[in-house]
Amino acid sequence: MPELPEVEITARLIGAAITGAQVESVLTPGINALRSFDPPLNAIEGTTVTGVGRRGKLFVIDFDDRLHMLIHLMSAGRLQLFDTCASLRDRTSRLLLRLTDGRELRLREFGTKQAAWVKLLTDEGLAAEETLTTLGPEAYPDPPLLRPLLDAPRPLHALLRDQRVIAGIGRSWVDEILWAAKLSPFKRGADLDAEEAERLRAATIEQLGRAIAHYEQVITLPIPDKLPMPLMVHRRNGEPCPRCGDRLEAVFYEDYVMCYCPTDQTDGKLLKDRRLSRLLK
Ligand SMILES: [Zn+2]
């Protein structure tokens, strides 16, 4: 599941590789991932890539001619750069951006859902794009003070994943951040004191920075289908906590799992496993 660190490393590597390259053609095979109609997609044919950036969990690819491509990978997308062009029969391909030097940038999507999307926008369109205008401040590298940001009667686990509150954190890295900050996922944002909020901010910078530094060491183009996420807590329930050695626990939800260390985060209390309690009803 691509979150801020995964999108950041992808944007850095692909940006360094294709900035200055010229677009030959663009295709959207299969179910159309394109969610915009004006300007038309072929408006970027013949333009030059001027940069690849990240906003929250989204990519923004800039082209000369004041055009921008916004890409959201959703839960199972990947942006990958290859030296040759794909077979159009590759069912994972959602967008193929062919460069005049023979390379190809691909938006691919794995799994059954086809949710990843692309928009081609002008300068004005980008400035007005709601997906971006509603984003909260970036979680990395320098998030603002969290105490006013998280001042809501909602659990931290939900608040930190809410892109309107703070941008870039999802289901994997939220577990690492809360564990590093020694805070319960169910603690309400409004109940954080100033010291806890500062600890959480430091943990956010540290964990996302740790992930990006790890990827800088191990990831190369074309960007692997599955990134080796250096997670210490998420989906490691049943294993010993890397800090205190106690058993990591989990709460299962319909489509995700929340992992934590009871000793470090919840005063030893086990949080209610909703899946289990539903089964037992
Ligand atoms: Zn622990």
Side-chain angles (χ1 to χ4, degrees):
M1 187 154 307
E3 299 177 23
L4 187 153
E6 293 73 38
V7 175
E8 175 70 25
I9 190 67
T10 304
R12 285 185 191 180
L13 290 176
I14 289 180
I18 69 168
T19 297
Q22 194 182 18
V23 179
E24 182 174 276
S25 63
V26 58
L27 293 162
T28 51
I31 292 174
N32 204 334
L34 189 69
R35 296 262 181 94
S36 64
F37 57 93
D38 184 28
L41 193 56
N42 63 11
I44 55 170
E45 294 180 352
T47 65
T48 297
V49 177
T50 56
V52 179
R54 176 194 62 75
R55 300 273 293 278
K57 300 187 219 173
L58 293 97
F59 294 99
V60 183
I61 306 179
D62 301 318
F63 303 87
D64 60 3
D65 244 2
R66 304 169 7 104
L67 291 171
H68 312 273
M69 185 175 273
L70 186 64
I71 300 178
H72 199 319
L73 300 178
M74 299 301 285
S75 62
R78 294 286 179 274
L79 193 64
Q80 298 170 307
L81 180 67
F82 295 93
D83 286 335
T84 53
C85 292
S87 158
L88 289 180
R89 286 194 295 272
D90 171 16
R91 287 172 187 229
T92 60
S93 290
R94 306 292 310 283
L95 177 92
L96 304 172
L97 193 71
R98 293 182 172 169
L99 305 173
T100 54
D101 58 21
R103 293 181 299 167
E104 184 177 74
L105 186 66
R106 284 177 218 162
L107 168 63
R108 300 174 73 211
E109 194 166 26
F110 301 90
T112 50
K113 278 189 211 161
Q114 300 212 304
W117 56 259
V118 175
K119 286 186 182 181
L120 186 66
L121 302 164
T122 59
D123 284 352
E124 296 75 24
L126 186 72
E129 170 58 34
E130 207 183 333
T131 320
L132 299 179
T133 56
T134 56
L135 278 184
E138 291 287 335
Y140 186 85
D142 188 24
L145 291 176
L146 297 183
R147 184 63 193 84
L149 217 59
L150 303 179
D151 190 15
R154 294 169 63 200
L156 291 176
H157 199 273
L159 276 173
L160 290 172
R161 286 183 294 119
D162 185 339
Q163 302 306 298
R164 294 163 300 179
V165 173
I166 184 163
I169 303 168
R171 293 161 188 176
S172 301
W173 289 103
V174 68
D175 283 351
E176 307 295 309
I177 290 166
L178 288 170
W179 172 81
K182 294 192 178 186
L183 289 168
S184 166
F186 283 152
K187 189 178 183 84
R188 289 160 191 272
D191 294 337
L192 280 181
D193 64 32
E195 187 275 324
E196 288 170 327
E198 190 39 50
R199 211 161 75 212
L200 185 57
R201 181 175 179 277
T204 300
I205 298 168
E206 174 200 50
Q207 292 300 307
L208 299 177
R210 172 175 76 82
I212 294 167
H214 170 77
Y215 293 142
E216 285 278 11
Q217 296 298 315
V218 302
I219 304 290
T220 53
L221 294 172
I223 306 288
D225 291 353
K226 195 165 168 47
L227 274 90
M229 295 176 76
L231 299 166
M232 300 199 291
V233 179
H234 184 68
R235 293 199 176 273
R236 292 193 179 270
N237 41 306
E239 296 181 23
C241 167
R243 184 166 47 210
C244 73
D246 286 347
R247 190 186 138 98
L248 296 173
E249 297 290 345
V251 183
F252 292 87
Y253 293 87
E254 199 122 320
D255 54 355
Y256 70 100
V257 52
M258 170 200 289
C259 297
Y260 66 102
C261 170
T263 305
D264 287 332
Q265 293 174 259
T266 60
D267 296 326
K269 282 199 245 13
L270 287 187
L271 303 177
K272 200 166 149 195
D273 185 329
R274 286 159 195 226
R275 183 185 62 170
L276 201 59
S277 51
R278 198 166 55 232
L279 289 174
L280 291 175
K281 260 180 202 160

Coordinates of all heavy atoms in Angstrom, one line a residue, residues 44-97:
I44 N -0.4 16.1 -24.1 CA 1.0 16.0 -23.6 C 2.0 15.4 -24.6 O 3.2 15.4 -24.4 CB 1.2 15.3 -22.3 CG1 0.6 13.9 -22.3 CG2 0.6 16.1 -21.1 CD1 0.9 13.1 -21.1
E45 N 1.4 14.9 -25.7 CA 2.3 14.3 -26.7 C 3.1 15.4 -27.4 O 2.6 16.4 -27.8 CB 1.5 13.5 -27.8 CG 0.8 12.3 -27.1 CD -0.1 11.5 -28.1 OE1 -0.3 11.9 -29.2 OE2 -0.6 10.4 -27.6
G46 N 4.4 15.2 -27.3 CA 5.4 16.2 -27.9 C 5.9 17.1 -26.8 O 6.8 17.9 -27.1
T47 N 5.3 17.1 -25.6 CA 5.8 18.0 -24.6 C 7.0 17.3 -23.8 O 7.3 16.1 -24.0 CB 4.8 18.3 -23.5 OG1 4.4 17.1 -22.8 CG2 3.5 18.9 -24.1
T48 N 7.7 18.1 -23.0 CA 8.9 17.6 -22.3 C 8.5 17.6 -20.8 O 7.8 18.5 -20.2 CB 10.0 18.6 -22.5 OG1 10.4 18.6 -23.9 CG2 11.3 18.2 -21.7
V49 N 9.0 16.5 -20.1 CA 8.7 16.4 -18.7 C 9.7 17.4 -17.9 O 10.9 17.4 -18.2 CB 9.1 14.9 -18.2 CG1 8.9 14.8 -16.7 CG2 8.2 13.9 -18.9
T50 N 9.1 18.2 -17.1 CA 9.9 19.2 -16.4 C 10.1 18.8 -14.9 O 10.9 19.5 -14.2 CB 9.3 20.6 -16.5 OG1 8.0 20.6 -16.0 CG2 9.3 21.0 -17.9
G51 N 9.5 17.8 -14.4 CA 9.7 17.4 -13.0 C 8.6 16.4 -12.6 O 7.6 16.3 -13.2
V52 N 9.0 15.6 -11.5 CA 8.0 14.7 -10.9 C 8.0 15.0 -9.4 O 9.1 14.9 -8.8 CB 8.4 13.2 -11.1 CG1 7.4 12.3 -10.5 CG2 8.5 12.9 -12.6
G53 N 6.9 15.3 -8.9 CA 6.8 15.7 -7.5 C 5.7 14.8 -6.7 O 5.1 14.0 -7.3
R54 N 5.6 15.1 -5.4 CA 4.7 14.4 -4.6 C 3.9 15.4 -3.8 O 4.4 16.3 -3.3 CB 5.4 13.4 -3.7 CG 4.5 12.7 -2.7 CD 5.3 12.0 -1.6 NE 6.1 13.0 -0.7 CZ 5.5 13.8 0.2 NH1 4.2 13.7 0.4 NH2 6.3 14.6 0.9
R55 N 2.6 15.1 -3.7 CA 1.7 15.9 -2.7 C 0.9 14.9 -2.0 O 0.1 14.1 -2.5 CB 0.8 16.8 -3.5 CG 1.4 17.8 -4.4 CD 1.8 19.1 -3.7 NE 0.6 19.9 -3.3 CZ -0.1 20.7 -4.0 NH1 0.3 20.9 -5.3 NH2 -1.1 21.3 -3.6
G56 N 1.2 14.7 -0.7 CA 0.5 13.7 0.1 C 0.9 12.3 -0.5 O 2.1 12.1 -0.6
K57 N -0.1 11.5 -0.9 CA 0.2 10.2 -1.5 C 0.1 10.3 -3.0 O 0.0 9.2 -3.7 CB -0.7 9.2 -0.9 CG -0.7 9.0 0.6 CD -1.5 7.8 0.9 CE -2.3 8.0 2.2 NZ -3.2 6.9 2.5
L58 N 0.0 11.5 -3.6 CA -0.2 11.6 -5.0 C 1.1 12.1 -5.7 O 1.9 12.8 -5.2 CB -1.3 12.6 -5.3 CG -2.7 12.2 -4.9 CD1 -3.1 12.8 -3.5 CD2 -3.7 12.7 -5.9
F59 N 1.1 11.7 -7.0 CA 2.2 12.2 -7.9 C 1.7 13.4 -8.7 O 0.6 13.4 -9.1 CB 2.7 11.2 -8.9 CG 3.3 10.0 -8.3 CD1 2.6 8.8 -8.1 CD2 4.6 10.0 -7.9 CE1 3.1 7.7 -7.5 CE2 5.2 8.8 -7.4 CZ 4.5 7.7 -7.2
V60 N 2.6 14.3 -8.9 CA 2.3 15.4 -9.9 C 3.5 15.4 -10.8 O 4.6 15.7 -10.5 CB 2.2 16.8 -9.2 CG1 1.8 17.8 -10.3 CG2 1.1 16.8 -8.1
I61 N 3.2 15.0 -12.1 CA 4.2 15.1 -13.1 C 4.0 16.4 -13.9 O 2.9 16.6 -14.4 CB 4.1 13.9 -14.1 CG1 4.2 12.6 -13.3 CG2 5.3 13.9 -15.1 CD1 4.1 11.3 -14.1
D62 N 5.0 17.2 -14.0 CA 4.9 18.5 -14.7 C 5.5 18.3 -16.2 O 6.5 17.7 -16.4 CB 5.7 19.5 -14.0 CG 5.2 19.7 -12.6 OD1 3.9 19.7 -12.4 OD2 6.0 19.9 -11.6
F63 N 4.8 19.0 -17.1 CA 5.2 19.0 -18.5 C 5.3 20.5 -18.9 O 4.6 21.3 -18.3 CB 4.2 18.3 -19.4 CG 3.9 16.9 -19.0 CD1 2.9 16.6 -18.1 CD2 4.7 15.8 -19.5 CE1 2.7 15.3 -17.7 CE2 4.4 14.5 -19.2 CZ 3.4 14.2 -18.2
D64 N 6.1 20.7 -19.8 CA 6.1 22.1 -20.3 C 4.8 22.3 -21.0 O 3.9 21.4 -21.1 CB 7.3 22.4 -21.2 CG 7.4 21.6 -22.5 OD1 6.5 20.8 -22.7 OD2 8.4 21.7 -23.2
D65 N 4.5 23.5 -21.5 CA 3.1 23.8 -22.0 C 2.1 23.9 -20.9 O 0.9 23.7 -21.1 CB 2.7 22.6 -23.0 CG 2.5 23.2 -24.4 OD1 2.7 24.4 -24.6 OD2 2.1 22.4 -25.3
R66 N 2.6 24.1 -19.6 CA 1.7 24.3 -18.5 C 0.7 23.2 -18.2 O -0.4 23.4 -17.9 CB 1.0 25.7 -18.6 CG 1.9 26.8 -18.8 CD 1.3 28.1 -19.3 NE -0.2 28.2 -19.3 CZ -0.9 28.8 -18.4 NH1 -0.3 29.4 -17.4 NH2 -2.2 28.9 -18.5
L67 N 1.2 22.0 -18.4 CA 0.4 20.8 -18.2 C 0.9 20.0 -17.0 O 2.1 19.9 -16.8 CB 0.3 19.9 -19.4 CG -0.5 20.6 -20.6 CD1 -0.3 19.7 -21.9 CD2 -1.9 20.7 -20.3
H68 N 0.0 19.4 -16.3 CA 0.4 18.6 -15.1 C -0.5 17.3 -15.1 O -1.7 17.3 -15.3 CB 0.1 19.3 -13.8 CG 0.6 20.7 -13.9 ND1 1.9 21.0 -13.5 CD2 0.1 21.9 -14.3 CE1 2.1 22.3 -13.7 NE2 1.0 22.9 -14.1
M69 N 0.2 16.2 -14.7 CA -0.5 14.9 -14.6 C -0.6 14.6 -13.1 O 0.5 14.5 -12.5 CB 0.1 13.8 -15.4 CG -0.7 12.5 -15.4 SD 0.1 11.3 -16.5 CE -0.7 11.8 -18.0
L70 N -1.8 14.4 -12.6 CA -2.0 14.1 -11.2 C -2.3 12.6 -11.2 O -3.2 12.1 -11.9 CB -3.1 14.9 -10.6 CG -3.4 14.8 -9.2 CD1 -2.3 15.3 -8.3 CD2 -4.7 15.6 -8.8
I71 N -1.6 11.8 -10.4 CA -1.8 10.3 -10.4 C -2.0 9.9 -8.9 O -1.2 10.2 -8.0 CB -0.6 9.6 -10.9 CG1 -0.3 10.0 -12.4 CG2 -0.8 8.1 -10.8 CD1 0.9 9.3 -13.0
H72 N -3.1 9.2 -8.7 CA -3.3 8.6 -7.4 C -3.3 7.1 -7.5 O -4.0 6.5 -8.3 CB -4.7 9.0 -6.8 CG -4.8 8.8 -5.4 ND1 -4.4 7.7 -4.7 CD2 -5.4 9.6 -4.4 CE1 -4.6 7.8 -3.4 NE2 -5.2 9.0 -3.2
L73 N -2.3 6.4 -6.8 CA -2.1 5.0 -6.9 C -3.2 4.2 -6.2 O -3.4 3.0 -6.4 CB -0.8 4.6 -6.3 CG 0.4 5.2 -7.0 CD1 1.7 4.8 -6.2 CD2 0.5 4.9 -8.4
M74 N -4.0 4.9 -5.3 CA -5.0 4.2 -4.4 C -4.3 3.1 -3.7 O -3.1 3.2 -3.3 CB -6.2 3.8 -5.2 CG -6.9 4.9 -5.9 SD -7.5 6.2 -4.7 CE -8.9 5.3 -4.0
S75 N -4.9 1.9 -3.5 CA -4.3 0.9 -2.6 C -3.3 0.0 -3.3 O -2.5 -0.6 -2.7 CB -5.3 0.1 -1.9 OG -6.1 -0.6 -2.8
A76 N -3.4 -0.2 -4.6 CA -2.6 -1.2 -5.3 C -1.9 -0.8 -6.5 O -1.5 -1.6 -7.3 CB -3.5 -2.4 -5.5
G77 N -1.8 0.5 -6.7 CA -1.1 1.0 -7.9 C 0.4 1.1 -7.8 O 0.9 1.2 -6.6
R78 N 1.1 1.1 -8.9 CA 2.6 1.4 -8.9 C 2.9 2.3 -10.1 O 2.3 2.1 -11.2 CB 3.4 0.1 -9.1 CG 3.3 -0.9 -7.9 CD 4.0 -0.4 -6.7 NE 3.9 -1.4 -5.7 CZ 2.9 -1.4 -4.8 NH1 2.0 -0.5 -4.8 NH2 2.8 -2.3 -3.8
L79 N 3.8 3.1 -9.9 CA 4.3 3.9 -11.1 C 5.7 3.4 -11.3 O 6.6 3.4 -10.4 CB 4.4 5.4 -10.7 CG 4.6 6.4 -11.9 CD1 3.4 6.3 -12.8 CD2 4.7 7.8 -11.3
Q80 N 6.0 2.9 -12.5 CA 7.2 2.2 -12.8 C 7.8 2.7 -14.2 O 7.0 3.0 -15.1 CB 7.0 0.7 -12.9 CG 6.6 0.1 -11.5 CD 6.1 -1.3 -11.7 OE1 5.3 -1.7 -12.5 NE2 6.7 -2.2 -10.8
L81 N 9.1 2.8 -14.3 CA 9.7 3.2 -15.5 C 10.5 2.0 -16.1 O 11.3 1.4 -15.4 CB 10.7 4.3 -15.2 CG 11.5 4.9 -16.4 CD1 10.5 5.6 -17.4 CD2 12.6 5.8 -15.9
F82 N 10.2 1.7 -17.4 CA 10.9 0.6 -18.0 C 11.7 1.1 -19.3 O 11.3 2.1 -19.8 CB 9.8 -0.4 -18.5 CG 9.1 -1.1 -17.3 CD1 7.9 -0.6 -16.8 CD2 9.7 -2.2 -16.7 CE1 7.3 -1.2 -15.7 CE2 9.0 -2.8 -15.6 CZ 7.8 -2.3 -15.1
D83 N 12.6 0.3 -19.6 CA 13.5 0.6 -20.8 C 12.8 0.3 -22.1 O 13.2 0.8 -23.2 CB 14.8 -0.1 -20.7 CG 15.7 0.5 -19.7 OD1 15.5 1.7 -19.3 OD2 16.6 -0.2 -19.1
T84 N 11.7 -0.5 -22.1 CA 11.1 -0.9 -23.3 C 9.6 -0.7 -23.1 O 9.1 -0.6 -22.0 CB 11.3 -2.3 -23.7 OG1 11.0 -3.2 -22.6 CG2 12.8 -2.5 -24.1
C85 N 8.8 -0.8 -24.2 CA 7.4 -0.6 -24.1 C 6.7 -2.0 -23.7 O 7.1 -3.0 -24.1 CB 6.8 -0.1 -25.4 SG 7.4 1.6 -25.7
A86 N 5.6 -1.8 -23.0 CA 4.8 -3.0 -22.6 C 4.0 -3.6 -23.7 O 3.6 -2.9 -24.6 CB 3.9 -2.6 -21.4
S87 N 3.7 -4.9 -23.5 CA 2.7 -5.5 -24.3 C 1.3 -4.9 -23.9 O 1.0 -4.8 -22.7 CB 2.7 -7.0 -24.1 OG 1.4 -7.5 -24.5
L88 N 0.5 -4.6 -24.8 CA -0.8 -4.0 -24.5 C -1.7 -5.1 -23.8 O -2.8 -4.8 -23.3 CB -1.5 -3.4 -25.7 CG -0.9 -2.1 -26.2 CD1 -1.6 -1.6 -27.4 CD2 -0.8 -1.1 -25.1
R89 N -1.3 -6.3 -23.9 CA -2.0 -7.4 -23.2 C -1.8 -7.4 -21.7 O -2.4 -8.2 -21.0 CB -1.8 -8.7 -23.9 CG -2.4 -8.8 -25.3 CD -2.4 -10.3 -25.8 NE -1.1 -10.8 -26.0 CZ -0.4 -10.6 -27.1 NH1 -1.0 -10.0 -28.1 NH2 0.8 -11.1 -27.3
D90 N -0.8 -6.7 -21.3 CA -0.5 -6.7 -19.8 C -1.7 -6.1 -19.1 O -1.9 -4.9 -19.2 CB 0.8 -5.9 -19.5 CG 1.0 -5.7 -18.0 OD1 0.4 -6.4 -17.2 OD2 1.8 -4.8 -17.7
R91 N -2.4 -6.9 -18.4 CA -3.7 -6.4 -17.8 C -3.5 -5.5 -16.6 O -4.5 -4.9 -16.2 CB -4.5 -7.6 -17.3 CG -5.1 -8.4 -18.5 CD -5.8 -9.6 -18.0 NE -6.2 -10.4 -19.2 CZ -7.4 -10.9 -19.3 NH1 -8.3 -10.8 -18.3 NH2 -7.7 -11.6 -20.4
T92 N -2.3 -5.4 -16.1 CA -2.1 -4.5 -15.0 C -1.9 -3.0 -15.4 O -2.0 -2.1 -14.6 CB -0.8 -4.9 -14.2 OG1 0.3 -4.8 -15.0 CG2 -1.0 -6.3 -13.6
S93 N -1.6 -2.8 -16.7 CA -1.3 -1.5 -17.2 C -2.5 -0.6 -17.2 O -3.6 -1.0 -17.8 CB -0.7 -1.5 -18.6 OG 0.6 -2.1 -18.5
R94 N -2.5 0.6 -16.6 CA -3.6 1.5 -16.7 C -3.3 2.8 -17.5 O -4.2 3.4 -18.0 CB -4.0 1.9 -15.3 CG -4.3 0.7 -14.3 CD -5.5 -0.1 -14.7 NE -6.7 0.8 -14.9 CZ -7.4 1.3 -14.0 NH1 -7.2 1.1 -12.7 NH2 -8.5 2.1 -14.3
L95 N -2.0 3.1 -17.5 CA -1.5 4.3 -18.3 C -0.1 4.0 -18.8 O 0.7 3.5 -18.0 CB -1.5 5.5 -17.4 CG -1.0 6.8 -18.1 CD1 -2.2 7.6 -18.7 CD2 -0.3 7.7 -17.1
L96 N 0.1 4.2 -20.1 CA 1.4 4.0 -20.6 C 1.8 5.4 -21.3 O 1.2 5.9 -22.1 CB 1.4 3.0 -21.7 CG 0.8 1.6 -21.3 CD1 0.6 0.7 -22.6 CD2 1.7 0.9 -20.3
L97 N 2.9 5.9 -20.7 CA 3.5 7.1 -21.2 C 4.8 6.8 -21.9 O 5.8 6.5 -21.3 CB 3.7 8.1 -20.0 CG 4.0 9.5 -20.3 CD1 2.7 10.2 -20.8 CD2 4.4 10.2 -19.0

